[in-house]
Amino acid sequence: MKVLTVDYRAPDAAQRFTESLRTTGFGVLTHHPIPKELVQGIYDNWYRFFMSERKQDFLFNRETQDGYFPPSVSEVAKGHSQKDIKEYFHLYPWGQMPDELRAQAMEYYQLANNLAAELLGWVEQYTPSDIAANYSCPLSSMIEESQKTLLRVLHYPPFDGTEEPGAIRAAAHEDINLLTILPAANEPGLQVKGSDGEWMDVPCDFGTLIINIGDMLQEASAGYYPSTTHRVINPTGGSASKSRISLPLFLHPRPDVVLSERHTAHSYLMERLRELGVI
């Protein structure tokens, strides 16, 4: 099993990308429409933000889940007991964020959201009719006017020897949402778990875009599109002294969208947030 790298401009891009998602839960795009200069600028500016004490002025709102989440409240992955070694900021167009970083972040948010919607259309196009019959509405319409799509800026700090034994940057987990759009981070470490139980490194050449399936798409497709387990492993050697910045966009439906007989998007999200310990 191999995560495919697909040229976004290729005539068969939609088919090959969807094939990779179907078989591995992941796909990697090159020559996509998101400028890497924009991504690099966000990495640089948010690194400076995380290094400052100003971040304490934006502590997260428990009700709305926007703002800064310090390491002391970092997520505990489902099935794990230790917190991940990270801090992060949740960005929504309606949410709190530093004024000087807003324009750049929202430019990226819009570009990534538009691309994610297109990719969701690819997934829908290559869904067999018997599977598509499970969708309560077209996938592309699930996200129309959604206020829940989340841009998260993550900072994985350098290692200094005080880390809790057994803790890692991001323990093995699955994402909650429909699709996740992720520019290659400034440092490696992302791995995906294959159907054979083996961990594979996800290509992380700067400028590539990594997309994976979340639990909501798995739920809506009755398991046809698998939500694949992934993790961020701890750095070794010289990388241990470096920060890692990551910028995933989590594509969410409107809360009232019916995913399955068991769940709406809202009930599914609330269940998972409780499991993560953040509400």
Side-chain angles (χ1 to χ4, degrees), residues 16 18 45 76 92 106 119 138 160 163 174 186 188 204-205 211 235 246 248-249 255 266 271:
R16 293 186 68 236
T18 309
N45 289 331
V76 177
Y92 298 94
M106 288 301 97
L119 299 180
D160 60 11
E163 293 77 27
E174 299 82 39
N186 65 330
C204 65
D205 298 327
I211 297 94
S246 181
L249 181 97
H266 176 74
E271 179 181 287

mmCIF file of all heavy atoms in Angstrom, residues 16 18 45 76 92 106 119 138 160 163 174 186 188 204-205 211 235 246 248-249 255 266 271:
data_model
loop_
_atom_site.group_PDB
_atom_site.id
_atom_site.type_symbol
_atom_site.label_atom_id
_atom_site.label_comp_id
_atom_site.label_asym_id
_atom_site.label_seq_id
_atom_site.Cartn_x
_atom_site.Cartn_y
_atom_site.Cartn_z
ATOM 1 N N ARG A 16 -7.153 9.506 -9.762
ATOM 2 C CA ARG A 16 -6.000 8.955 -9.034
ATOM 3 C C ARG A 16 -6.004 9.398 -7.570
ATOM 4 O O ARG A 16 -5.673 8.624 -6.680
ATOM 5 C CB ARG A 16 -4.696 9.372 -9.722
ATOM 6 C CG ARG A 16 -4.528 8.754 -11.091
ATOM 7 C CD ARG A 16 -3.175 9.066 -11.698
ATOM 8 N NE ARG A 16 -2.107 8.408 -10.957
ATOM 9 C CZ ARG A 16 -1.073 9.034 -10.409
ATOM 10 N NH1 ARG A 16 -0.970 10.352 -10.490
ATOM 11 N NH2 ARG A 16 -0.143 8.363 -9.766
ATOM 12 N N THR A 18 -8.667 10.181 -5.741
ATOM 13 C CA THR A 18 -9.730 9.458 -5.042
ATOM 14 C C THR A 18 -9.333 8.007 -4.797
ATOM 15 O O THR A 18 -9.649 7.432 -3.747
ATOM 16 C CB THR A 18 -11.048 9.532 -5.844
ATOM 17 O OG1 THR A 18 -11.325 10.894 -6.167
ATOM 18 C CG2 THR A 18 -12.198 8.971 -5.035
ATOM 19 N N ASN A 45 5.240 33.733 10.852
ATOM 20 C CA ASN A 45 4.549 34.680 11.719
ATOM 21 C C ASN A 45 3.944 34.003 12.952
ATOM 22 O O ASN A 45 3.987 34.551 14.060
ATOM 23 C CB ASN A 45 3.452 35.418 10.947
ATOM 24 C CG ASN A 45 4.026 36.401 9.953
ATOM 25 O OD1 ASN A 45 5.105 36.937 10.145
ATOM 26 N ND2 ASN A 45 3.314 36.634 8.852
ATOM 27 N N VAL A 76 -5.860 14.737 24.487
ATOM 28 C CA VAL A 76 -5.485 13.352 24.754
ATOM 29 C C VAL A 76 -6.176 12.514 23.681
ATOM 30 O O VAL A 76 -7.403 12.469 23.615
ATOM 31 C CB VAL A 76 -5.925 12.901 26.160
ATOM 32 C CG1 VAL A 76 -5.573 11.432 26.376
ATOM 33 C CG2 VAL A 76 -5.277 13.775 27.230
ATOM 34 N N TYR A 92 -11.314 30.583 13.308
ATOM 35 C CA TYR A 92 -12.549 30.633 12.529
ATOM 36 C C TYR A 92 -12.720 32.075 12.040
ATOM 37 O O TYR A 92 -12.295 33.007 12.731
ATOM 38 C CB TYR A 92 -13.765 30.273 13.383
ATOM 39 C CG TYR A 92 -13.779 28.887 13.956
ATOM 40 C CD1 TYR A 92 -13.288 28.632 15.240
ATOM 41 C CD2 TYR A 92 -14.320 27.823 13.248
ATOM 42 C CE1 TYR A 92 -13.327 27.354 15.788
ATOM 43 C CE2 TYR A 92 -14.364 26.539 13.780
ATOM 44 C CZ TYR A 92 -13.870 26.316 15.052
ATOM 45 O OH TYR A 92 -13.912 25.050 15.592
ATOM 46 N N MET A 106 -6.829 34.441 7.015
ATOM 47 C CA MET A 106 -8.113 34.308 6.332
ATOM 48 C C MET A 106 -7.952 34.137 4.825
ATOM 49 O O MET A 106 -8.781 33.507 4.172
ATOM 50 C CB MET A 106 -9.006 35.502 6.662
ATOM 51 C CG MET A 106 -9.534 35.500 8.094
ATOM 52 S SD MET A 106 -10.528 34.020 8.521
ATOM 53 C CE MET A 106 -9.322 32.950 9.350
ATOM 54 N N LEU A 119 -12.156 19.193 -3.879
ATOM 55 C CA LEU A 119 -11.735 17.808 -3.640
ATOM 56 C C LEU A 119 -12.901 16.958 -3.149
ATOM 57 O O LEU A 119 -13.014 15.774 -3.487
ATOM 58 C CB LEU A 119 -10.585 17.774 -2.637
ATOM 59 C CG LEU A 119 -9.306 18.506 -3.067
ATOM 60 C CD1 LEU A 119 -8.238 18.400 -1.983
ATOM 61 C CD2 LEU A 119 -8.783 17.966 -4.391
ATOM 62 N N PRO A 138 -25.857 15.836 -1.310
ATOM 63 C CA PRO A 138 -24.544 15.785 -1.954
ATOM 64 C C PRO A 138 -23.447 16.266 -0.996
ATOM 65 O O PRO A 138 -23.652 17.211 -0.229
ATOM 66 C CB PRO A 138 -24.702 16.737 -3.145
ATOM 67 C CG PRO A 138 -26.162 16.721 -3.451
ATOM 68 C CD PRO A 138 -26.844 16.589 -2.124
ATOM 69 N N ASP A 160 13.350 19.252 25.235
ATOM 70 C CA ASP A 160 14.381 19.721 26.170
ATOM 71 C C ASP A 160 14.681 18.715 27.282
ATOM 72 O O ASP A 160 15.393 19.022 28.226
ATOM 73 C CB ASP A 160 13.974 21.061 26.790
ATOM 74 C CG ASP A 160 12.655 20.979 27.564
ATOM 75 O OD1 ASP A 160 12.160 19.847 27.800
ATOM 76 O OD2 ASP A 160 12.134 22.041 27.948
ATOM 77 N N GLU A 163 10.107 16.115 28.806
ATOM 78 C CA GLU A 163 8.867 15.531 28.298
ATOM 79 C C GLU A 163 8.467 14.307 29.138
ATOM 80 O O GLU A 163 9.317 13.565 29.620
ATOM 81 C CB GLU A 163 9.038 15.096 26.836
ATOM 82 C CG GLU A 163 9.241 16.241 25.870
ATOM 83 C CD GLU A 163 10.652 16.824 25.918
ATOM 84 O OE1 GLU A 163 11.594 16.086 26.284
ATOM 85 O OE2 GLU A 163 10.810 18.016 25.609
ATOM 86 N N GLU A 174 -7.597 9.488 14.599
ATOM 87 C CA GLU A 174 -8.284 9.776 13.348
ATOM 88 C C GLU A 174 -8.904 11.167 13.485
ATOM 89 O O GLU A 174 -9.258 11.574 14.583
ATOM 90 C CB GLU A 174 -9.394 8.743 13.065
ATOM 91 C CG GLU A 174 -8.890 7.316 12.920
ATOM 92 C CD GLU A 174 -8.666 6.630 14.261
ATOM 93 O OE1 GLU A 174 -9.482 6.836 15.197
ATOM 94 O OE2 GLU A 174 -7.655 5.905 14.393
ATOM 95 N N ASN A 186 6.994 22.174 8.339
ATOM 96 C CA ASN A 186 8.391 22.614 8.185
ATOM 97 C C ASN A 186 9.375 21.561 8.689
ATOM 98 O O ASN A 186 10.578 21.702 8.507
ATOM 99 C CB ASN A 186 8.603 23.943 8.910
ATOM 100 C CG ASN A 186 8.442 23.832 10.410
ATOM 101 O OD1 ASN A 186 7.668 22.999 10.891
ATOM 102 N ND2 ASN A 186 9.137 24.662 11.154
ATOM 103 N N PRO A 188 9.621 16.980 9.276
ATOM 104 C CA PRO A 188 8.928 15.712 9.052
ATOM 105 C C PRO A 188 8.348 15.159 10.352
ATOM 106 O O PRO A 188 8.511 15.740 11.416
ATOM 107 C CB PRO A 188 10.031 14.806 8.510
ATOM 108 C CG PRO A 188 11.289 15.372 9.058
ATOM 109 C CD PRO A 188 11.076 16.851 9.144
ATOM 110 N N CYS A 204 6.702 14.639 2.707
ATOM 111 C CA CYS A 204 6.567 15.959 3.330
ATOM 112 C C CYS A 204 7.395 17.015 2.619
ATOM 113 O O CYS A 204 7.879 17.959 3.250
ATOM 114 C CB CYS A 204 6.928 15.888 4.813
ATOM 115 S SG CYS A 204 8.654 15.477 5.125
ATOM 116 N N ASP A 205 7.579 16.869 1.306
ATOM 117 C CA ASP A 205 8.305 17.890 0.559
ATOM 118 C C ASP A 205 7.544 19.208 0.634
ATOM 119 O O ASP A 205 6.339 19.257 0.325
ATOM 120 C CB ASP A 205 8.464 17.475 -0.908
ATOM 121 C CG ASP A 205 9.276 16.202 -1.057
ATOM 122 O OD1 ASP A 205 10.190 15.993 -0.235
ATOM 123 O OD2 ASP A 205 8.986 15.415 -1.976
ATOM 124 N N ILE A 211 -3.808 15.412 2.054
ATOM 125 C CA ILE A 211 -5.252 15.379 2.330
ATOM 126 C C ILE A 211 -5.605 14.017 2.898
ATOM 127 O O ILE A 211 -5.162 12.987 2.399
ATOM 128 C CB ILE A 211 -6.079 15.632 1.043
ATOM 129 C CG1 ILE A 211 -5.800 17.028 0.485
ATOM 130 C CG2 ILE A 211 -7.581 15.505 1.323
ATOM 131 C CD1 ILE A 211 -4.724 17.074 -0.556
ATOM 132 N N PRO A 235 10.818 13.829 17.233
ATOM 133 C CA PRO A 235 12.022 14.034 16.421
ATOM 134 C C PRO A 235 13.235 13.358 17.042
ATOM 135 O O PRO A 235 13.270 13.088 18.243
ATOM 136 C CB PRO A 235 12.184 15.555 16.430
ATOM 137 C CG PRO A 235 11.588 15.973 17.748
ATOM 138 C CD PRO A 235 10.448 15.033 17.995
ATOM 139 N N SER A 246 2.491 23.275 12.003
ATOM 140 C CA SER A 246 1.591 22.542 11.123
ATOM 141 C C SER A 246 0.298 23.340 10.977
ATOM 142 O O SER A 246 -0.098 24.074 11.885
ATOM 143 C CB SER A 246 1.319 21.154 11.717
ATOM 144 O OG SER A 246 0.478 20.392 10.892
ATOM 145 N N PRO A 248 -3.295 22.418 9.613
ATOM 146 C CA PRO A 248 -4.411 21.668 9.024
ATOM 147 C C PRO A 248 -5.709 22.474 8.976
ATOM 148 O O PRO A 248 -6.033 23.222 9.895
ATOM 149 C CB PRO A 248 -4.569 20.479 9.980
ATOM 150 C CG PRO A 248 -4.061 20.990 11.297
ATOM 151 C CD PRO A 248 -2.970 21.967 10.973
ATOM 152 N N LEU A 249 -6.437 22.322 7.869
ATOM 153 C CA LEU A 249 -7.803 22.823 7.760
ATOM 154 C C LEU A 249 -8.737 21.627 7.846
ATOM 155 O O LEU A 249 -8.636 20.698 7.038
ATOM 156 C CB LEU A 249 -8.015 23.558 6.433
ATOM 157 C CG LEU A 249 -9.430 24.127 6.288
ATOM 158 C CD1 LEU A 249 -9.455 25.603 6.678
ATOM 159 C CD2 LEU A 249 -9.971 23.968 4.862
ATOM 160 N N PRO A 255 -23.910 21.916 11.257
ATOM 161 C CA PRO A 255 -24.281 21.033 12.366
ATOM 162 C C PRO A 255 -25.525 20.184 12.108
ATOM 163 O O PRO A 255 -25.636 19.072 12.628
ATOM 164 C CB PRO A 255 -24.525 22.009 13.530
ATOM 165 C CG PRO A 255 -23.673 23.187 13.207
ATOM 166 C CD PRO A 255 -23.706 23.316 11.713
ATOM 167 N N HIS A 266 -23.474 17.612 14.226
ATOM 168 C CA HIS A 266 -23.340 18.186 15.570
ATOM 169 C C HIS A 266 -23.179 17.095 16.628
ATOM 170 O O HIS A 266 -22.282 17.177 17.476
ATOM 171 C CB HIS A 266 -24.564 19.044 15.903
ATOM 172 C CG HIS A 266 -24.547 19.580 17.298
ATOM 173 N ND1 HIS A 266 -23.708 20.610 17.691
ATOM 174 C CD2 HIS A 266 -25.239 19.218 18.420
ATOM 175 C CE1 HIS A 266 -23.893 20.866 18.972
ATOM 176 N NE2 HIS A 266 -24.815 20.040 19.433
ATOM 177 N N GLU A 271 -19.722 14.294 20.547
ATOM 178 C CA GLU A 271 -19.255 13.017 21.102
ATOM 179 C C GLU A 271 -17.736 12.939 21.075
ATOM 180 O O GLU A 271 -17.090 12.556 22.059
ATOM 181 C CB GLU A 271 -19.864 11.864 20.300
ATOM 182 C CG GLU A 271 -19.426 10.479 20.764
ATOM 183 C CD GLU A 271 -20.052 9.379 19.921
ATOM 184 O OE1 GLU A 271 -21.268 9.138 20.090
ATOM 185 O OE2 GLU A 271 -19.335 8.787 19.090
#
